[in-house]
Amino acid sequence: MDLYSILREFADSWALLALFTVFVGVIFWAFRPGSRAVHEDVSQIPFRHEDRPARAASAAGVKETGR
């Protein structure tokens, strides 16, 4: 049995199962009840500076000096 056949059998069985488990875990993590506040906060990002554009320093994460 050559290396290609061994890797193909592994990918067809255990690797597929592992990737499916990771996929289901990510879905459960995204839709867990405790993440609602985080998702709502992130969804409001485009509207935070609706009255004026964000300054370049604030957008880069630099602390404002308070002038």
Side-chain angles (χ1 to χ4, degrees), residues 2-19:
D2 59 340
L3 181 63
Y4 174 79
S5 298
I6 294 170
L7 292 176
R8 176 156 176 166
E9 285 182 23
F10 176 75
D12 286 344
S13 58
W14 295 108
L16 178 63
L17 181 64
L19 289 175

Side-chain angles (χ1 to χ4, degrees), residues 11-43:
D12 286 344
S13 58
W14 295 108
L16 178 63
L17 181 64
L19 289 175
F20 180 73
T21 304
V22 168
F23 174 76
V24 170
V26 168
I27 296 299
F28 281 133
W29 178 262
F31 289 107
R32 72 188 191 284
S35 67
R36 179 176 293 272
V38 173
H39 291 303
E40 287 182 7
D41 182 46
V42 170
S43 71

Side-chain angles (χ1 to χ4, degrees), residues 6 11-12 20 26 34 47-48 55 62-63:
I6 294 170
D12 286 344
F20 180 73
V26 168
F47 307 112
R48 286 191 182 148
R55 293 177 19 189
V62 178
K63 195 171 192 177

